[in-house]
Amino acid sequence: MTAPHTPAAPSSDQLQARLGHLNMVQATIGRMAGFSANAKTFTLTIGAALIAVAFDKDLPILFYAGFCITVVFALLDAYYLALEKSFRDLYSDISSRDWTQAFDFAIRPRATNFLHVSTAMASASVWGFYLVLLASFAMLAHVQKHGQPDANTTQLSSHIASRSEHGHASSAATEQPTQPN
């Protein structure tokens, strides 16, 4: 009976080559993850600026621009998350390769296609952030468009302000109007 074949231990050069190759791939993964954080930061910065200008200059069209910019950055973020995933798969593949391939330093991740990007878009790190931001833009656009006080609200506010200036502690909202007899 023969003993099962055990692979030979890697040489020091093979081990150093493998670690160097894994470090190169890990650095690429780190850059992809950093872009995701930058995309979110850019989106918040641009969105906040557009909201401020939209309210200050009464330009509701800027909310739609913010909505579009958010969608573009969400797609970019999902694309880079899909790339990051492909490099993580490559890292896993390299770490499990036979030691005879230790000196193959090729960095060829799998191709990233629409399916990979849409899967990344479904990630909570993408939709969780951008969906909340899109909902905020929609809500603020609604407030900006419909948030102007009407005449009755303005009159009630003036009435409450004048009552508090004269030292009346009771709330104008709970008072019953007096009917002439």
Side-chain angles (χ1 to χ4, degrees):
M1 193 165 181
T2 61
H5 177 67
T6 56
S11 70
S12 176
D13 290 340
Q14 288 173 322
L15 184 60
Q16 290 300 320
R18 174 71 50 89
L19 289 175
H21 194 190
L22 290 173
N23 285 335
M24 286 189 302
V25 174
Q26 182 61 41
T28 304
I29 292 169
R31 284 192 300 275
M32 299 295 157
F35 180 82
S36 178
N38 287 340
K40 289 174 176 72
T41 302
F42 292 155
T43 305
L44 279 177
T45 303
I46 293 169
L50 288 172
I51 288 168
V53 172
F55 275 112
D56 186 49
K57 302 293 184 190
D58 195 28
L59 295 170
I61 191 78
L62 292 180
F63 289 110
Y64 301 112
F67 191 87
C68 293
I69 288 169
T70 301
V71 169
V72 168
F73 274 104
L75 290 172
L76 277 172
D77 196 358
Y79 175 72
Y80 275 92
L81 185 60
L83 278 177
E84 179 186 341
K85 171 75 169 107
S86 69
F87 276 97
R88 281 188 274 129
D89 291 345
L90 176 65
Y91 185 96
S92 178
D93 177 54
I94 292 169
S95 65
S96 63
R97 284 183 188 166
D98 186 62
W99 285 104
T100 58
Q101 297 177 349
F103 295 104
D104 176 12
F105 290 106
I107 298 180
R108 290 181 296 269
R110 66 172 159 72
T112 303
N113 59 28
F114 179 75
L115 178 64
H116 298 126
V117 174
S118 60
T119 301
M121 187 64 99
S123 166
S125 70
V126 174
W127 68 259
F129 176 80
Y130 292 102
L131 190 63
V132 168
L133 198 56
L134 290 172
S136 298
F137 271 115
M139 180 193 66
L140 289 171
H142 178 77
V143 166
Q144 203 272 342
K145 183 177 180 181
H146 301 290
Q148 302 300 325
D150 60 1
N152 292 335
T153 306
T154 305
Q155 288 174 353
L156 180 61
S157 298
S158 298
H159 179 70
I160 292 171
S162 68
R163 302 255 320 155
S164 54
E165 287 175 6
H166 296 303
H168 296 285
S170 64
S171 171
T174 59
E175 289 184 10
Q176 297 296 324
T178 57
Q179 297 290 331
N181 291 336

